[in-house]
Amino acid sequence: MLGQHRLDEIMARLERNGQVRVAELAATLQVTDETIRRDLKALEGEGRLRRIHGGAVVPRRNEEQPIDVRGRVNPREKQRIAALAVALLREGMSIFIDTGTTANALAQRVAEQRGLNVITNSLDVALAVARRGNNRVMIAPGTVRAKDNAVIGADAIGWAGAFCYDIAFMGIGAVNLAQGFMDYEEEEAQLRRVLVGRAERSVILADESKFGRRAFVRTLDFAAVTTLITNEPLSADYAAAFREARTDVVC
């Protein structure tokens, strides 16, 4: 069976049964176990399933993939978003950059700028920007979350709320037409709500894979943020929703 047809068949079985097993797929599709394992790894890299011992299951709605997995989804698109985001910066600005793969892409470009005050709750963002030494970098206190090097907790949220920002750059777990901006964990949602209230311009960074998803926590209405930056023109229904919300869309 050709590769794409095999991947389509794996996803069809996963959607039908909720899980798939390597040995059963190999026998049914007449390929080796190793071929199936490579297929499952590729599909996990696209965020379409979660591998377990001996097979795979549907990703949990309230569980975001680890950052190394998310980093393999749409990397070029995230670089495009980062390029659009850094164009908003001017020397002397104070900005917040939160966590995630698109935030990490933005941090690489921010490191090339000068004279910024960069506040973050991400170890990855802080190190990427601080290595160049052209900007002042401050990092939130709290507990480090191992799966993505984010600093989380009440201390981080309270500390972030003590500053005022020219721009707050935020990732998001999902962009849902009915529910708005959504996250997988309440602490991230709380932080983003605080940032919106403390920033002159609040900017959501969301690649095309985030649209149409549902996550666990309803974070913000579309109208709560100033700007959405994405990599592709929005579909007609999303474009209408953001027009109604009076949120600028940059793509």
Side-chain angles (χ1 to χ4, degrees):
M1 180 179 285
L2 295 176
Q4 187 57 54
H5 291 164
R6 191 173 60 246
L7 297 179
D8 292 342
E9 180 63 22
I10 291 171
M11 288 307 303
R13 290 171 179 268
L14 181 62
E15 291 168 7
R16 187 164 59 245
N17 302 321
Q19 66 175 16
V20 290
R21 309 297 300 178
V22 170
E24 293 174 3
L25 288 171
T28 302
L29 303 179
Q30 298 182 333
V31 294
T32 65
D33 288 5
E34 185 57 34
T35 295
I36 295 299
R37 291 191 186 96
R38 285 197 300 268
D39 289 343
L40 296 183
K41 183 177 181 180
L43 290 167
E44 183 180 53
E46 296 175 2
R48 300 175 68 187
L49 54 75
R50 181 168 60 91
R51 286 185 294 166
I52 61 173
H53 180 69
V57 296
V58 176
R60 297 172 186 165
R61 181 174 293 173
N62 63 342
E63 178 182 84
E64 192 166 31
Q65 295 290 312
I67 199 164
D68 59 333
V69 173
R70 287 183 279 140
R72 296 194 293 270
V73 180
N74 293 343
R76 292 180 182 176
E77 289 77 2
K78 291 168 184 175
Q79 287 296 333
R80 290 188 201 131
I81 292 169
L84 292 169
V86 81
L88 301 178
L89 299 179
R90 301 291 181 271
E91 187 172 348
M93 280 186 168
S94 294
I95 65 172
F96 195 100
I97 306 175
D98 72 0
T99 60
T101 53
T102 309
N104 290 349
L106 174 59
Q108 298 295 329
R109 293 178 180 267
V110 168
E112 300 170 358
Q113 308 298 305
R114 290 182 174 274
L116 299 171
N117 294 310
V118 180
I119 300 93
T120 184
N121 68 319
S122 165
L123 297 181
D124 293 337
V125 168
L127 288 172
V129 178
R131 283 193 182 109
R132 296 294 292 271
N134 297 327
N135 302 290
R136 182 187 184 201
V137 180
M138 302 171 66
I139 188 163
T143 302
V144 176
R145 186 170 59 194
K147 71 177 183 179
D148 61 359
N149 294 328
V151 181
I152 60 171
D155 288 341
I157 294 169
W159 183 86
F163 300 92
C164 293
Y165 311 101
D166 293 294
I167 306 176
F169 293 104
M170 301 169 286
I172 202 68
V175 185
N176 185 274
L177 196 61
Q179 301 297 330
F181 296 114
M182 305 186 77
D183 278 301
Y184 292 90
E185 297 188 20
E186 176 59 28
E187 286 180 329
E188 280 186 322
Q190 288 179 1
L191 174 61
R192 286 165 182 157
R193 293 174 195 135
V194 167
L195 293 173
V196 163
R198 303 299 290 172
E200 287 292 320
R201 186 171 191 172
S202 51
V203 179
I204 292 286
L205 311 174
D207 70 80
E208 62 191 51
S209 71
K210 301 297 179 70
F211 288 82
R213 288 187 182 181
R214 284 176 61 92
F216 186 58
V217 183
R218 189 175 186 276
T219 304
L220 294 162
D221 293 330
F222 291 158
V225 304
T226 311
T227 304
L228 167 72
I229 301 181
T230 188
N231 61 291
E232 292 286 347
L234 301 183
S235 64
D237 50 359
Y238 277 97
F242 281 103
R243 279 197 303 272
E244 183 177 354
R246 297 186 177 180
T247 300
D248 294 333
V249 177
V250 179
C251 65

